[in-house]
Amino acid sequence: MHFPAFLRLLCVAFTLVVPLSLSSAQTFEELIAKGDIYDTTFEANRALNYYLQAEKLAPENVPLLLRIARQYRYLLSSARSSEEKIRYGNSSLGYGLRAAKLAPSNSEAQLSPAITYGKMLPYESSKIQVEVTPLIKAAADKAIRLDPKNDTAWHVLGRWHQVLANVGAVKRALGGLIYGKLPVTTNEAAVKCFVQAIAINPRRLRHYIELGHTYAQMGNTTEARRYLEKGLAMPNKEHDDPELKTKGRETLAKLPP
């Protein structure tokens, strides 16, 4: 049988185009692998380029949703304006809340919204800060119940105690109905959380610097200096490590000799 010329051309074109189309399609696993390369180097926009494509293939994949939430937190940290920070924060929060709803027994999924809430707090109104504060503690508590070895959850809980312990009586009085609604806690509670985080994972400088900062707030210069210097001597490994070291150096500089 002889095909007309145009059919022979169509067959040739099909054999060239279809394999090319199929070969350019990337699987979910391939997209995740490529996104992970940029996740490890903290290149959030490049990581999102692959993660958001992967989301279309598996929109309820919890580990992927947590990856995406983390990238938007990275973008929040590097954004210059409060408006940008809130926008990226809301994107991160949306993915974190989706993951938490899909995986009620997953410690990391339950913790993700709390981490984002904490990063957004400095840029929110006093009213929202008061509304969100109990949500952070509830999420951290649940994450710890699900996985007592989750050092990040202990760290988040430590920061919760650390910040609230230093919303003093004067600020509460001036804040009236707003700050007056905030829970009362202590620096000692924060210390316990950071010590527990270090016991679980002693390789993260964030635990040492925040513990040192807490001791500085307590007026314990010796312990503050000890933990701050320990954290500052450790190599940067995580996205927020440079920022934390800046905080640590500022705290150290304010300590009395």
Side-chain angles (χ1 to χ4, degrees):
M1 179 183 295
H2 296 285
F3 288 100
F6 80 93
L7 286 179
R8 289 201 300 273
L9 290 173
L10 182 62
C11 290
V12 171
F14 186 80
T15 58
L16 290 175
V17 172
V18 171
L20 179 60
S21 175
L22 291 174
S23 65
S24 65
Q26 299 181 83
T27 67
F28 176 81
E29 291 75 15
E30 289 170 340
L31 289 167
I32 292 296
K34 290 182 178 180
D36 285 350
I37 293 172
Y38 294 110
D39 180 35
T40 58
T41 55
F42 313 126
E43 296 177 84
N45 281 317
R46 290 187 173 185
L48 283 172
N49 179 52
Y50 294 102
Y51 289 156
L52 294 177
Q53 292 182 65
E55 182 196 3
K56 295 176 182 178
L57 301 177
E60 295 188 349
N61 184 284
V62 171
L64 172 59
L65 296 178
L66 295 178
R67 283 175 168 88
I68 296 174
R70 182 167 62 246
Q71 306 315 308
Y72 281 118
R73 284 198 296 270
Y74 291 164
L75 292 173
L76 182 162
S77 296
S78 59
R80 295 188 177 183
S81 69
S82 296
E83 291 76 13
E84 277 188 300
K85 289 180 181 292
I86 293 297
R87 178 164 58 85
Y88 287 129
N90 284 330
S91 295
S92 175
L93 188 59
Y95 281 97
L97 290 171
R98 282 171 56 189
K101 184 177 180 179
L102 287 166
S105 298
N106 183 310
S107 179
E108 294 295 340
Q110 297 308 306
L111 187 62
S112 180
I115 298 173
T116 304
Y117 279 135
K119 287 188 173 293
M120 294 175 69
L121 273 185
Y123 315 103
E124 299 281 19
S125 67
S126 298
K127 181 176 182 295
I128 293 179
Q129 289 177 4
V130 171
E131 291 174 351
V132 165
T133 295
L135 301 180
I136 295 174
K137 185 176 189 298
D141 284 340
K142 184 173 183 180
I144 290 169
R145 286 197 303 272
L146 291 169
D147 180 9
K149 296 294 185 181
N150 187 335
D151 66 296
T152 303
W154 282 106
H155 185 96
V156 170
L157 187 58
R159 284 281 291 139
W160 187 90
H161 287 294
Q162 180 200 76
V163 171
L164 285 178
N166 293 279
V167 178
V170 173
K171 189 171 184 179
R172 290 176 187 273
L174 292 175
L177 295 176
I178 296 296
Y179 287 109
K181 293 180 180 179
L182 287 173
V184 177
T185 185
T186 65
N187 281 306
E188 287 77 8
V191 166
K192 290 180 181 178
C193 292
F194 292 130
V195 167
Q196 183 64 23
I198 290 171
I200 295 168
N201 189 347
R203 297 176 299 280
R204 303 181 76 185
L205 65 84
R206 67 179 56 239
H207 301 329
Y208 296 94
I209 288 178
E210 292 296 359
L211 178 54
H213 185 75
T214 307
Y215 276 125
Q217 292 180 162
M218 297 169 69
N220 189 334
T221 302
T222 301
E223 289 300 279
R225 191 179 305 278
R226 172 190 170 194
Y227 285 103
L228 287 169
E229 290 178 346
K230 170 70 174 177
L232 290 171
M234 297 172 72
N236 294 343
K237 293 183 178 180
E238 300 179 67
H239 181 268
D240 294 338
D241 285 353
E243 182 181 351
L244 284 163
K245 282 189 173 181
T246 298
K247 177 180 180 179
R249 283 190 290 267
E250 291 173 352
T251 304
L252 192 61
K254 294 176 183 177
L255 293 178

